[in-house]
């Protein structure tokens, strides 16, 4: 069944079906022209006109539900089909052809949307902290993700041996206009896809930006040398697409993006515009209850407010349009 899904995606994403329908329509109109009942000036153009009339629609959107009304064929059927004219049979067939092509196109759109936004289960050999970037390359290929994918949220729990207890993240493919919720299982990823509608951000009068792309974030999470704690049962890593402000020392660490080493940040000035990862050692307190004794903040990009001095900017990542 997956091969059928991929085939349908292929013919739609490469416009094969659209070209096929166009070639079929042109060929059939030429055939109808050859079957004319009597000579008529500009008959070819008139057949094209009846075809376009049959395919003409009014489209309405009710939230996420589109309504398509074949108004052109309704006009033909109600007011034009009994009118006396030359070559009425082939003109009627031209209008019906337009309606048929419209129906095929709408049916294909419904099927393609159901397939394109279906839930997926993508197998991988194994899932660990060190394999996150490699796993994403598999997901990227299977899902057909573009190179402009921003991260809205990221949650990771893993033990001392880098075995993952929980992993899920929310992405937006800006180019493909899709949202993805991805969750890790033992040897697979569950993927839930939803559509981004054109008016999702039209309400706002500014362009929203993502601070990190998913590939950048996975590189940081997989390779950064986070601090270890002896009494920790597991570690929790959290990222949110937001910029934070820190007035006081909150166990802040900088991340060297060249070798992913870390260094304690000792600054008497406030930190602002911080894009960071929260890192929490988790300890069992009773039964199935867990709590974090502290939170370390690993700064990926930030600025320091030195008041009268110039702001100090750390290594920036590329921005991604949302």
């Amino acid at each position: 069944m997956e091969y059928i899904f991929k085939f349908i995606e292929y013919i739609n994403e490469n416009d094969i079906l659209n070209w096929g329908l166009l070639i079929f329509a042109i060929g059939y109109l030429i055939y109808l022209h050859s079957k004319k009942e009597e000579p008529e000036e500009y008959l070819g153009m008139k057949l094209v006109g009846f075809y376009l009339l049959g395919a003409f629609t009014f489209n309405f959107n009710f939230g996420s539900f589109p309504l398509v009304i074949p108004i052109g064929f309704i006009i033909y059927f109600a007011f034009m089909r009994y009118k006396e004219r030359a070559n009425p049979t082939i003109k009627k067939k031209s209008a019906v052809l337009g309606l048929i092509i419209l129906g095929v196109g709408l049916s294909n759109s419904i099927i393609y949307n159901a397939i394109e936004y279906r839930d997926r289960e993508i197998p991988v050999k194994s899932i660990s902290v060190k394999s996150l970037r490699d796993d994403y390359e598999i997901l990227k290929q299977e899902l057909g993700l573009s190179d402009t994918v921003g991260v809205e949220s990221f949650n990771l729990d893993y033990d001392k041996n880098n075995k993952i207890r929980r992993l899920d993240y929310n992405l937006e493919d800006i180019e493909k206009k899709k949202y993805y919720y991805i969750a890790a299982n033992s040897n697979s990823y569950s993927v839930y896809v939803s559509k981004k509608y054109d008016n999702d951000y039209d309400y706002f009068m500014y362009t929203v930006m993502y601070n990190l792309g998913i590939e950048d974030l996975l590189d940081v999470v997989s390779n950064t040398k986070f601090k270890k704690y002896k009494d920790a049962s597991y570690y929790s890593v959290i990222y949110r697409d937001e910029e934070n402000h820190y007035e006081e020392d909150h166990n802040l660490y900088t991340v060297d993006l060249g070798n992913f080493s870390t260094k304690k940040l000792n600054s008497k000035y406030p930190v602002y515009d911080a894009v960071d990862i929260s890192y929490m050692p988790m300890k069992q307190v009773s039964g199935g209850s867990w709590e974090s004794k502290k939170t370390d903040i690993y700064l990926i990009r930030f600025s320091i407010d030195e008041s009268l001095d110039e702001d100090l900017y750390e290594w920036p990542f590329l921005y991604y349009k949302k």
Side-chain angles (χ1 to χ4, degrees), residues 97-138:
L97 174 64
L99 181 65
I100 291 173
I101 296 297
L102 171 64
V104 172
L106 290 176
S107 299
N108 173 70
S109 179
I110 293 171
I111 294 171
Y112 176 60
N113 281 335
I115 291 173
E116 186 180 18
Y117 299 104
R118 72 191 186 277
D119 297 341
R120 305 278 296 275
E121 196 76 19
I122 299 177
V124 294
K125 290 183 178 180
S126 62
I127 300 176
S128 70
V129 175
K130 296 300 182 182
S131 72
L132 293 181
R133 180 62 188 272
D134 292 336
D135 291 348
Y136 178 73
E137 292 302 321
I138 296 174

Side-chain angles (χ1 to χ4, degrees), residues 9-20:
E9 289 176 332
Y10 176 78
I11 64 175
N12 278 275
E13 291 170 0
N14 292 278
D15 288 327
I16 294 174
L17 180 63
N18 291 335
W19 281 106

Side-chain angles (χ1 to χ4, degrees), residues 74-250:
I74 291 174
I75 292 173
Y76 169 81
F77 189 83
F79 304 108
M80 301 176 65
R81 61 173 177 155
Y82 292 124
K83 183 179 179 179
E84 291 188 7
R85 59 169 55 89
N87 297 297
T89 302
I90 60 175
K91 290 175 181 176
K92 175 183 177 181
K93 290 181 178 180
S94 296
V96 172
L97 174 64
L99 181 65
I100 291 173
I101 296 297
L102 171 64
V104 172
L106 290 176
S107 299
N108 173 70
S109 179
I110 293 171
I111 294 171
Y112 176 60
N113 281 335
I115 291 173
E116 186 180 18
Y117 299 104
R118 72 191 186 277
D119 297 341
R120 305 278 296 275
E121 196 76 19
I122 299 177
V124 294
K125 290 183 178 180
S126 62
I127 300 176
S128 70
V129 175
K130 296 300 182 182
S131 72
L132 293 181
R133 180 62 188 272
D134 292 336
D135 291 348
Y136 178 73
E137 292 302 321
I138 296 174
L139 295 173
K140 183 177 181 179
Q141 182 176 359
E142 289 291 326
L143 298 172
L145 298 172
S146 72
D147 292 327
T148 53
V149 178
V151 188
E152 294 189 338
S153 65
F154 180 91
N155 302 286
L156 169 66
D157 295 341
Y158 65 96
D159 63 19
K160 296 178 180 180
N161 298 316
N162 288 331
K163 183 178 180 181
I164 291 178
R165 297 164 54 97
R166 173 199 175 188
L167 169 63
D168 60 75
Y169 45 92
N170 288 281
L171 309 176
E172 180 191 340
D173 190 324
I174 301 159
E175 180 180 324
K176 299 291 183 68
K177 296 184 178 181
K178 295 179 183 178
Y179 296 112
Y180 295 87
Y181 172 74
I182 299 175
N185 306 310
S186 56
N187 289 295
S188 67
Y189 285 89
S190 298
V191 181
Y192 305 92
V193 190
S194 60
K195 185 175 183 178
K196 173 188 173 182
Y197 293 96
D198 291 336
N199 61 350
D200 274 6
Y201 300 112
D202 289 349
Y203 178 79
F204 301 98
M205 299 303 293
Y206 55 86
T207 302
V208 185
M209 309 291 283
Y210 279 112
N211 288 303
L212 281 179
I214 181 59
E215 292 169 326
D216 297 326
L217 178 61
L218 293 179
D219 280 339
V220 173
V221 172
S222 296
N223 297 298
T224 297
K225 301 172 178 63
F226 295 112
K227 187 176 180 179
K228 297 295 184 181
Y229 292 88
K230 292 182 179 180
D231 58 346
S233 299
Y234 71 92
Y235 300 95
S236 183
V237 176
I238 298 174
Y239 169 81
R240 296 292 182 267
D241 183 51
E242 57 191 24
E243 295 182 348
N244 298 307
H245 181 88
Y246 300 101
E247 291 286 349
E248 301 174 354
D249 188 346
H250 283 72

Side-chain angles (χ1 to χ4, degrees), residues 61-74:
N61 288 320
F62 298 95
S64 60
F65 178 76
L67 177 64
V68 180
I69 300 176
I71 190 67
F73 190 80
I74 291 174

